[in-house]
Amino acid sequence: MKETGASLLVRHEVVRLIQEARGQSIRLPSSTEMARQLSVSQRTVAAEYKRLTDENWIYGVPGVGTFSKPNRQYFYREAEHIRNIGIGIGNGLYYTIPRPLWEVQMQCGLRLYDSLKAQPHPIQFTNTNSRDFYSLLKAGHYDGLLWLQPSSMVEEALRELHREGIPVVTLFHKSDSLPSVIPDYAETGTMLTEALFREGRHRIWWLMNEHYFQMFRPGIEAVYRREKLPVEEIRFFDSPERFVAEFQAALHDSVPPDAAHVNWPRYCHNRLPEGWRGDDPSKCLWCFDESVLSAMPDLRGITFRYRSEEIAAEAVKLLWNQIDGIDVSAVCCKIPKSITYHL
C-alpha cells in the first residue's frame, strides 16, 4: 500500500514515542486517541498500526492495548543536546507524498537519528487553512529545518527564518539565500540519452513537464552533437494526449520512436498497442522515473534515480555545518546520480 502524508504522520509519532522511551516497551495511544491527536482518520491510524506490527515495531494485546517492542534501534544514547529538527515537503498541507520524496525524508530522519544529537519531526499542517507559514514554523521552535521542494510561500517563510539565524536547507529547489541540494538535470539528460544510444536507439520521444525538459535538454543535445545527429530530431511533448495521437500516427506510418521517456505512463499504457508499453524491449525501450517503478516494479526499461541515502547525507551535512557554526553561507550542492537498468 502506498504511504500517504497522514500515515507517515502516524508512523513518525509512534517512532517519536519509542525514542522517548529509550528502549523500554510502552503502551501507545489507541487508534481513536491517536487519530484525535494528529487530526487524521481512525482508519489511517489502524492501517499504520498494522504495518508497524508487520514490521515488528509494535504488537497488540487483545482487550489491553498496543505496545512498542522493547530495545528497538535508533533510541538515543546520552548526548549533550537533542536538537529539534523539522522536515517538511511541498507546502506541508497535503496528504499524498510522492514516494521518492518520502524516501528522502525518511533517510534524512534516520541520518539525524544516527547522529545521536537530533530528533527529527516531519512537519504536516493538518486541517488548517492558514497560509502564514512563518508563524506556523516559528511556533515549532525548531533548531533547524530541512525542506523538500518548498512552495514559493514556504520558501519565503524559510528565508525569513534563516535571516533570523535558524539553520535551513532546501532540497531539489534552488534558492538564492538558503543552502540547497539540487539535482543536475542536464547531466541526467546526458546519462539517459547515452544509455539509450548504447542500445542503438536514436529516435527518442520525451513526454514530461516543459520546465523540467528545458533543464534536461542541454544534456540531451550534447549527446546528439557528439554523435553528429541533428538536434532537430529531438521530439518533446508536454501533453500525453498529443503524445499518444502522434505516436499512433507514427506507428501507422511505420516510423514510431524506438525509445521514450514518459512521465504520464498511466494515461499512455492503455492507449498504445501491446508491446509498446515497456513489456517488450526488443520493440520499444521505455524510460520511467522511479516513482513509476516503485508502483509497477515489473516494468522493463531503463530508469534513472537519485540515491536517497546520498541526498540525505549531503542535506544533513549542510544542516550540521550551519548548526555547528562551520558554514552558514548560501550554497548549492548538486547531488550524485546513478543509472539503474531494469531489463
Side-chain angles (χ1 to χ4, degrees):
M1 182 183 296
K2 186 177 181 180
E3 299 280 359
T4 66
S7 61
L8 287 175
L9 199 62
V10 176
R11 174 177 290 263
H12 283 296
E13 178 63 15
V14 171
V15 172
R16 184 186 69 79
L17 293 172
I18 291 174
Q19 310 317 323
E20 291 182 349
R22 295 179 178 270
Q24 300 298 313
S25 178
I26 59 169
R27 184 181 184 278
L28 298 171
S30 68
S31 58
T32 302
E33 293 169 337
M34 183 70 81
R36 185 172 60 252
Q37 291 174 17
L38 301 180
S39 299
V40 301
S41 71
Q42 188 175 347
R43 182 179 178 181
T44 296
V45 176
E48 191 59 34
Y49 272 17
K50 182 181 185 304
R51 278 193 287 268
L52 288 165
T53 299
D54 293 340
E55 295 172 17
N56 203 36
W57 279 85
I58 63 178
Y59 66 96
V61 178
V64 179
T66 303
F67 300 84
S68 66
K69 290 289 185 73
N71 300 317
R72 286 298 304 181
Q73 59 179 340
Y74 297 120
F75 63 87
Y76 295 114
R77 292 191 286 248
E78 293 297 327
E80 292 182 3
H81 179 58
I82 302 298
R83 293 174 173 84
N84 174 30
I85 307 297
I87 303 179
I89 296 178
N91 60 7
L93 294 173
Y94 59 90
Y95 280 161
T96 301
I97 297 176
R99 187 170 186 85
L101 297 189
W102 168 74
E103 289 177 351
V104 175
Q105 183 193 48
M106 292 297 290
Q107 286 295 331
C108 287
L110 290 178
R111 284 196 169 268
L112 287 165
Y113 278 133
D114 286 341
S115 73
L116 307 178
K117 297 188 295 183
Q119 182 164 320
H121 289 281
I123 299 173
Q124 188 87 38
F125 302 136
T126 57
N127 298 342
T128 176
N129 293 320
S130 172
R131 295 297 186 271
D132 184 2
F133 295 111
Y134 170 80
S135 296
L136 290 169
L137 292 172
K138 186 79 170 178
H141 301 289
Y142 297 109
D143 297 307
L145 289 158
L146 280 171
W147 209 283
L148 287 72
Q149 291 188 336
S151 67
S152 58
M153 289 186 290
V154 168
E155 186 181 22
E156 184 179 344
L158 294 175
R159 282 201 190 101
E160 181 61 29
L161 291 168
H162 194 248
R163 282 194 289 268
E164 294 177 7
I166 296 179
V168 179
V169 170
T170 57
L171 293 89
F172 311 133
H173 196 279
K174 189 173 182 179
S175 172
D176 295 332
S177 60
L178 302 173
S180 306
V181 180
I182 66 169
D184 188 335
Y185 292 102
E187 184 178 345
T188 300
T190 295
M191 293 165 61
L192 285 170
T193 307
E194 287 177 340
L196 291 169
F197 273 35
R198 284 196 295 269
E199 299 288 333
R201 304 173 190 278
H202 298 164
R203 294 191 309 277
I204 307 169
W205 286 13
W206 303 81
L207 172 61
M208 59 194 304
N209 177 280
E210 183 176 6
H211 171 72
Y212 287 104
F213 178 74
Q214 293 306 323
M215 293 190 288
F216 273 69
R217 182 158 192 141
I220 299 170
E221 290 184 350
V223 180
Y224 272 73
R225 291 194 176 97
R226 189 189 315 149
E227 298 295 325
K228 296 182 170 51
L229 295 172
V231 296
E232 291 77 13
E233 291 185 5
I234 300 172
R235 297 291 307 276
F236 160 69
F237 303 87
D238 60 359
S239 162
E241 294 83 3
R242 189 164 66 88
F243 174 88
V244 170
E246 296 208 21
F247 192 103
Q248 291 284 10
L251 188 63
H252 181 268
D253 295 334
S254 300
V255 287
D258 55 18
H261 182 279
V262 181
N263 275 13
W264 288 283
R266 292 183 182 177
Y267 180 90
C268 301
H269 279 174
N270 296 329
R271 293 168 175 83
L272 296 176
E274 185 176 357
W276 292 92
R277 298 196 296 267
D279 51 347
D280 187 354
S282 65
K283 276 192 174 182
C284 183
L285 188 62
W286 292 86
C287 298
F288 297 98
D289 63 30
E290 190 178 11
S291 62
V292 177
L293 282 167
S294 66
M296 308 178 69
D298 57 328
L299 284 174
R300 298 178 181 181
I302 293 178
T303 182
F304 74 95
R305 66 183 179 89
Y306 298 109
R307 297 189 184 105
S308 57
E309 298 89 349
E310 296 185 30
I311 295 171
E314 292 286 356
V316 171
K317 178 182 176 181
L318 287 173
L319 187 67
W320 281 118
N321 282 349
Q322 290 186 76
I323 291 175
D324 294 337
I326 298 172
D327 184 2
V328 295
S329 62
V331 297
C332 174
C333 178
K334 291 183 178 179
I335 62 178
K337 295 154 289 296
S338 67
I339 288 284
T340 302
Y341 291 90
H342 295 262
L343 293 175

